Coordinates of all heavy atoms in Angstrom, one line a residue:
R15 N 0.9 -1.2 0.0 CA 0.0 0.0 0.0 C 0.9 1.3 0.1 O 1.9 1.3 0.6 CB -0.9 0.1 1.2 CG -1.9 -1.1 1.2 CD -2.8 -0.9 2.4 NE -2.2 -0.4 3.7 CZ -1.9 -1.1 4.7 NH1 -2.3 -2.3 4.7 NH2 -1.3 -0.6 5.7
P16 N 0.4 2.4 -0.7 CA 1.2 3.6 -0.7 C 1.5 4.1 0.8 O 2.6 4.7 1.0 CB 0.4 4.5 -1.5 CG -0.4 3.6 -2.4 CD -0.6 2.4 -1.6
S17 N 0.5 4.0 1.7 CA 0.6 4.5 3.0 C 1.8 3.7 3.7 O 2.4 4.2 4.6 CB -0.7 4.4 3.8 OG -1.1 2.9 3.9
A18 N 1.9 2.4 3.5 CA 2.9 1.7 4.0 C 4.3 2.1 3.6 O 5.3 2.0 4.3 CB 2.7 0.1 3.7
L19 N 4.4 2.4 2.3 CA 5.6 3.0 1.8 C 6.1 4.3 2.4 O 7.2 4.6 2.6 CB 5.5 3.1 0.2 CG 5.5 1.7 -0.5 CD1 5.2 2.0 -2.0 CD2 6.7 0.9 -0.3
R20 N 5.0 5.2 2.5 CA 5.4 6.6 3.1 C 5.7 6.6 4.5 O 6.3 7.4 5.0 CB 4.2 7.4 2.8 CG 4.0 8.0 1.4 CD 3.0 9.0 1.3 NE 1.7 8.5 1.5 CZ 0.7 8.1 0.8 NH1 1.1 8.0 -0.5 NH2 -0.4 7.6 1.1
G21 N 5.1 5.6 5.2 CA 5.4 5.7 6.6 C 4.6 6.7 7.4 O 3.4 6.9 7.3
D22 N 5.2 7.5 8.2 CA 4.6 8.5 9.0 C 4.5 9.8 8.3 O 4.0 10.8 9.0 CB 5.2 8.7 10.4 CG 5.0 7.4 11.1 OD1 4.2 6.7 10.9 OD2 6.0 7.1 12.0
R23 N 5.1 10.0 7.1 CA 5.0 11.3 6.3 C 3.5 11.7 6.1 O 2.7 10.9 5.6 CB 5.7 11.3 5.1 CG 7.2 11.2 5.3 CD 8.0 11.3 4.1 NE 7.3 10.7 3.0 CZ 7.9 10.4 1.9 NH1 9.1 10.6 1.8 NH2 7.2 9.9 0.8
P24 N 3.1 12.9 6.3 CA 1.7 13.3 6.1 C 1.5 13.3 4.6 O 2.3 13.6 3.8 CB 1.6 14.7 6.5 CG 3.1 15.2 6.6 CD 3.9 14.1 6.9
V25 N 0.2 13.1 4.3 CA -0.2 13.1 3.0 C -0.4 14.6 2.4 O -1.1 15.3 3.1 CB -1.5 12.3 2.7 CG1 -2.0 12.3 1.3 CG2 -1.4 10.8 3.1
R26 N 0.2 14.8 1.3 CA 0.0 16.1 0.8 C -1.2 16.3 -0.1 O -1.4 15.6 -1.0 CB 1.3 16.5 0.0 CG 1.5 18.0 -0.2 CD 2.8 18.2 -0.9 NE 2.6 19.2 -1.8 CZ 3.4 19.7 -2.8 NH1 4.4 18.9 -3.0 NH2 3.2 20.6 -3.5
R27 N -2.1 17.2 0.3 CA -3.4 17.4 -0.4 C -3.3 18.7 -1.4 O -2.6 19.6 -0.8 CB -4.4 17.5 0.5 CG -4.5 16.2 1.4 CD -5.7 16.0 2.1 NE -5.5 14.8 2.8 CZ -6.4 14.2 3.5 NH1 -7.6 14.5 3.4 NH2 -6.0 13.1 4.1
A28 N -3.9 18.6 -2.4 CA -4.0 19.8 -3.2 C -4.8 21.0 -2.5 O -5.8 20.7 -1.9 CB -4.7 19.5 -4.6
R29 N -4.3 22.1 -2.7 CA -4.9 23.3 -2.1 C -6.1 23.6 -3.0 O -6.1 23.7 -4.1 CB -4.0 24.5 -2.1 CG -4.4 25.7 -1.4 CD -3.4 26.8 -1.4 NE -3.1 27.3 -2.7 CZ -3.7 28.3 -3.2 NH1 -4.5 29.0 -2.5 NH2 -3.3 28.7 -4.5
R30 N -7.3 24.0 -2.3 CA -8.5 24.3 -3.0 C -8.4 25.7 -3.5 O -8.0 26.5 -2.7 CB -9.6 24.1 -2.1 CG -11.0 24.3 -2.8 CD -12.2 23.8 -1.8 NE -13.3 24.4 -2.5 CZ -14.3 25.0 -1.9 NH1 -14.1 25.2 -0.6 NH2 -15.4 25.4 -2.5
R31 N -8.8 26.0 -4.7 CA -8.8 27.3 -5.3 C -9.7 28.1 -4.6 O -10.9 27.7 -4.4 CB -9.0 27.3 -6.7 CG -7.9 26.5 -7.5 CD -8.1 26.5 -9.0 NE -8.2 27.9 -9.6 CZ -7.1 28.6 -9.9 NH1 -6.0 27.9 -9.8 NH2 -7.3 29.6 -10.5
R32 N -9.5 29.4 -4.3 CA -10.4 30.3 -3.8 C -11.4 30.9 -4.8 O -12.5 31.1 -4.6 CB -9.7 31.5 -3.1 CG -9.1 31.1 -1.9 CD -8.2 32.2 -1.1 NE -8.6 33.4 -1.7 CZ -7.9 34.6 -1.4 NH1 -6.7 34.4 -0.7 NH2 -8.1 35.7 -2.0
Y33 N -10.9 31.1 -6.1 CA -11.7 31.6 -7.1 C -11.6 30.6 -8.3 O -10.6 30.1 -8.6 CB -11.2 32.9 -7.5 CG -11.2 33.9 -6.4 CD1 -10.1 34.3 -5.6 CD2 -12.4 34.6 -6.2 CE1 -10.3 35.2 -4.6 CE2 -12.6 35.5 -5.2 CZ -11.5 35.8 -4.3 OH -11.7 36.6 -3.2
P34 N -12.7 30.5 -9.0 CA -12.7 29.6 -10.1 C -11.9 30.1 -11.3 O -11.7 31.2 -11.4 CB -14.2 29.5 -10.5 CG -14.9 30.8 -9.9 CD -14.0 31.1 -8.8
N35 N -11.3 29.2 -12.1 CA -10.7 29.5 -13.3 C -11.6 30.3 -14.1 O -12.8 30.2 -14.3 CB -10.3 28.3 -14.2 CG -9.1 27.6 -13.4 OD1 -8.2 28.4 -12.8 ND2 -9.0 26.3 -13.5
I36 N -11.0 31.1 -15.1 CA -11.7 31.9 -16.0 C -12.1 31.0 -17.2 O -11.2 30.4 -17.7 CB -10.9 33.1 -16.5 CG1 -10.6 34.1 -15.3 CG2 -11.7 34.0 -17.5 CD1 -9.6 35.1 -15.7
D37 N -13.3 30.8 -17.4 CA -13.8 29.9 -18.4 C -13.5 30.4 -19.9 O -13.1 31.6 -20.1 CB -15.4 29.8 -18.5 CG -15.8 29.1 -17.2 OD1 -14.9 28.3 -16.5 OD2 -17.0 29.2 -16.8
R38 N -13.3 29.5 -20.9 CA -13.1 29.7 -22.3 C -11.7 30.4 -22.5 O -11.6 31.1 -23.4 CB -14.2 30.6 -22.8 CG -15.5 29.9 -22.8 CD -16.6 30.7 -23.2 NE -16.7 32.1 -22.7 CZ -17.7 32.7 -22.1 NH1 -18.8 32.0 -21.9 NH2 -17.6 33.8 -21.5
L39 N -10.8 30.2 -21.7 CA -9.4 30.6 -22.0 C -8.5 29.5 -22.4 O -8.7 28.3 -21.9 CB -8.8 31.3 -20.8 CG -9.2 32.6 -20.3 CD1 -8.5 33.2 -19.2 CD2 -9.2 33.7 -21.5
S40 N -7.7 29.6 -23.3 CA -6.8 28.6 -23.9 C -5.8 28.2 -22.8 O -5.5 29.1 -21.9 CB -6.3 28.9 -25.2 OG -5.3 30.0 -25.0
G41 N -5.2 27.2 -23.0 CA -4.1 26.7 -22.0 C -2.9 27.7 -22.1 O -2.2 28.0 -21.2
S42 N -2.5 28.3 -23.3 CA -1.4 29.2 -23.5 C -1.8 30.5 -22.7 O -0.8 31.1 -22.2 CB -1.1 29.4 -25.0 OG -2.2 30.0 -25.6
C43 N -3.0 30.9 -22.8 CA -3.4 32.1 -22.1 C -3.3 31.9 -20.7 O -2.9 32.9 -19.8 CB -4.8 32.6 -22.5 SG -5.4 34.1 -21.9
R44 N -3.8 30.8 -20.1 CA -3.7 30.5 -18.7 C -2.2 30.5 -18.3 O -1.9 31.0 -17.2 CB -4.4 29.3 -18.4 CG -5.9 29.2 -18.5 CD -6.5 27.9 -18.2 NE -7.8 28.0 -18.7 CZ -8.8 27.5 -18.0 NH1 -8.7 26.9 -16.8 NH2 -10.1 27.6 -18.5
A45 N -1.3 29.9 -19.1 CA 0.0 29.9 -18.7 C 0.6 31.2 -18.7 O 1.5 31.7 -17.8 CB 0.9 29.0 -19.7
D46 N 0.3 32.1 -19.7 CA 0.8 33.5 -19.7 C 0.3 34.3 -18.4 O 1.1 35.0 -17.8 CB 0.2 34.3 -20.9 CG 1.1 33.8 -22.1 OD1 2.1 33.3 -21.9 OD2 0.4 33.9 -23.3
L47 N -1.0 34.0 -17.9 CA -1.5 34.6 -16.8 C -0.8 34.2 -15.5 O -0.4 35.0 -14.7 CB -3.0 34.3 -16.6 CG -4.0 35.1 -17.3 CD1 -5.5 34.5 -17.1 CD2 -3.9 36.5 -16.9
R48 N -0.5 32.8 -15.4 CA 0.3 32.3 -14.3 C 1.8 33.0 -14.3 O 2.1 33.3 -13.2 CB 0.5 30.8 -14.3 CG -0.7 30.0 -14.3 CD -1.5 30.1 -12.9 NE -2.7 29.5 -12.9 CZ -3.9 30.2 -13.0 NH1 -3.8 31.5 -13.1 NH2 -5.0 29.6 -13.0
R49 N 2.3 33.1 -15.4 CA 3.7 33.7 -15.4 C 3.7 35.1 -15.1 O 4.5 35.6 -14.3 CB 4.1 33.6 -17.0 CG 5.6 33.4 -17.0 CD 6.1 33.1 -18.5 NE 5.6 31.8 -18.9 CZ 4.8 31.6 -20.0 NH1 4.4 32.7 -20.7 NH2 4.3 30.3 -20.4
L50 N 2.6 35.8 -15.5 CA 2.4 37.3 -15.2 C 2.2 37.4 -13.7 O 2.7 38.5 -13.0 CB 1.3 37.9 -16.0 CG 1.0 39.4 -15.8 CD1 2.2 40.2 -16.1 CD2 -0.1 39.8 -16.4
E51 N 1.4 36.6 -13.1 CA 1.0 36.7 -11.6 C 2.2 36.3 -10.8 O 2.3 36.9 -9.8 CB -0.2 35.8 -11.3 CG -1.5 36.3 -12.0 CD -2.7 35.3 -11.7 OE1 -2.5 34.1 -11.4 OE2 -3.8 35.7 -11.9
R52 N 2.9 35.4 -11.2 CA 4.2 35.1 -10.4 C 5.2 36.3 -10.4 O 5.9 36.5 -9.5 CB 4.9 33.9 -11.0 CG 4.5 32.5 -10.4 CD 5.5 31.5 -10.8 NE 5.9 31.4 -12.2 CZ 5.2 30.6 -13.0 NH1 4.3 29.9 -12.7 NH2 5.6 30.6 -14.3
S53 N 5.3 37.0 -11.5 CA 6.3 38.1 -11.6 C 5.8 39.4 -11.1 O 6.5 40.2 -10.5 CB 6.8 38.3 -13.0 OG 5.7 38.7 -13.9
R54 N 4.5 39.7 -11.3 CA 4.0 41.1 -11.0 C 2.9 41.2 -10.0 O 2.7 42.1 -9.2 CB 3.5 41.8 -12.2 CG 4.6 42.1 -13.2 CD 4.1 42.9 -14.3 NE 3.5 44.2 -14.0 CZ 2.9 44.8 -14.9 NH1 3.0 44.6 -16.2 NH2 2.3 46.0 -14.5
F55 N 2.1 40.1 -9.8 CA 1.0 40.1 -8.9 C 1.1 39.0 -7.8 O 2.1 38.7 -7.5 CB -0.3 40.0 -9.6 CG -0.4 41.2 -10.7 CD1 -0.4 40.9 -12.0 CD2 -0.7 42.5 -10.3 CE1 -0.5 41.9 -13.0 CE2 -0.7 43.5 -11.3 CZ -0.6 43.2 -12.6
W56 N -0.1 38.5 -7.4 CA -0.1 37.3 -6.5 C -0.9 36.2 -7.2 O -1.6 36.5 -8.2 CB -0.7 37.7 -5.2 CG -2.0 38.1 -5.2 CD1 -3.2 37.5 -5.2 CD2 -2.5 39.6 -5.5 NE1 -4.3 38.3 -5.3 CE2 -3.9 39.5 -5.6 CE3 -1.8 40.7 -5.7 CZ2 -4.6 40.7 -5.8 CZ3 -2.6 41.9 -5.9 CH2 -3.9 41.9 -6.0

């Protein structure tokens, strides 16, 4: 079992998004947004 392999390490869970993704944007546009938010915003 994966839990037996990990031992006592806590399971890392995905953080839930506070705001939904903007619908109808392409993957490249979302990637550009992520890049811009990392460099200039939050």
Side-chain angles (χ1 to χ4, degrees):
R15 293 187 321 254
S17 60
L19 293 174
R20 280 192 295 270
D22 294 333
R23 292 189 325 200
V25 176
R26 199 172 143 197
R27 300 194 184 195
R29 185 177 67 97
R30 186 170 169 227
R31 296 181 61 83
R32 291 183 4 201
Y33 297 97
N35 283 331
I36 301 173
D37 294 338
R38 298 181 306 241
L39 287 183
S40 67
S42 62
C43 183
R44 288 178 197 223
D46 289 337
L47 275 175
R48 297 290 173 262
R49 215 173 292 120
L50 180 66
E51 288 174 349
R52 267 196 312 267
S53 63
R54 291 183 59 183
F55 303 110
W56 59 93

